[in-house]
Amino acid sequence: MELLLFRHGIAAPRDAWQGEDAHRPLTDKGRARTRQVSQGLRSLRVAPTHILTSPFIRAHETAEILYKTLSAKHAVQICDELIPESPADKILPLLSTLPQDGYVLCVGHEPQLSELAGLVIFGKPSPGLALKKAGACEISFEEAPKPGRGVLEWWLPPSLLRALRKV
């Protein structure tokens, strides 16, 4: 399995947002930059079979942009396991329900995504790992996703992913 962890794009500022945090949308800049990043991912030949997303609006909007650009095989699937408060290890049973030869793109939040990356690469969450907004990392597995069994293929900030769209 190939696993791409992707942090949602730039959202409305938390302190300026009047509604529930779960309803905070991407900004115009966030949508534009996420589209640019998705074009960079396409130049890396990222071809997800499944896109899983947090139900929070900013993550779901991000997932839909990625879906359109990357032409995933299956529609975006909303997963409560990707809400910010959910422990990172709760995502592993979800991943085990998907095909071993799949390419799964998970759109979510920090610090959950970097905790998941640390868990599958090192066997435990690792301080110092962090995805920037619209940043991503790719982790591969020879077998089912389990703690300590993932191999980090790349970890890229959004600025480099945007630059790749021009290559």
Side-chain angles (χ1 to χ4, degrees):
M1 176 181 287
E2 298 295 321
L3 176 63
L4 183 78
L5 302 179
F6 192 96
R7 185 176 178 190
H8 65 79
I10 301 167
R14 190 175 305 203
D15 56 350
W17 181 247
Q18 298 296 316
E20 291 181 41
D21 185 51
H23 297 135
R24 210 162 33 98
L26 294 178
T27 62
D28 290 340
K29 181 179 180 180
R31 280 186 282 282
R33 288 210 172 162
T34 300
R35 276 191 290 277
Q36 293 168 350
V37 164
S38 68
Q39 292 164 357
L41 289 172
R42 190 172 56 201
S43 75
L44 288 173
R45 293 184 172 82
V46 168
T49 56
H50 299 79
I51 298 180
L52 311 179
T53 185
S54 158
F56 283 31
I57 297 299
R58 58 192 177 270
H60 191 238
E61 288 179 325
T62 298
E64 289 295 336
I65 291 168
L66 294 167
Y67 174 76
K68 289 175 186 169
T69 305
L70 301 174
S71 305
K73 286 186 177 181
H74 301 282
V76 172
Q77 181 181 343
I78 296 172
C79 302
D80 288 338
E81 293 87 348
L82 287 164
I83 64 171
E85 297 82 21
S86 182
D89 63 350
K90 298 297 181 199
I91 299 169
L92 291 176
L94 174 65
L95 295 175
S96 70
T97 67
L98 300 172
Q100 292 248 344
D101 63 347
Y103 191 120
V104 181
L105 192 163
C106 291
V107 180
H109 311 270
E110 278 298 304
Q112 183 196 46
L113 291 177
S114 58
E115 288 173 3
L116 176 60
L119 177 65
V120 298
I121 297 167
F122 304 113
K124 60 183 179 179
S126 301
L129 296 179
L131 287 170
K132 292 186 174 228
K133 292 176 184 166
C137 70
E138 182 180 89
I139 302 166
S140 63
F141 300 89
E142 288 189 23
E143 301 171 2
K146 292 182 181 173
R149 300 292 181 140
V151 174
L152 178 64
E153 300 295 337
W154 50 261
W155 190 296
L156 294 171
S159 58
L160 288 178
L161 288 167
R162 287 193 312 270
L164 285 171
R165 77 184 197 275
K166 300 173 186 175
V167 174

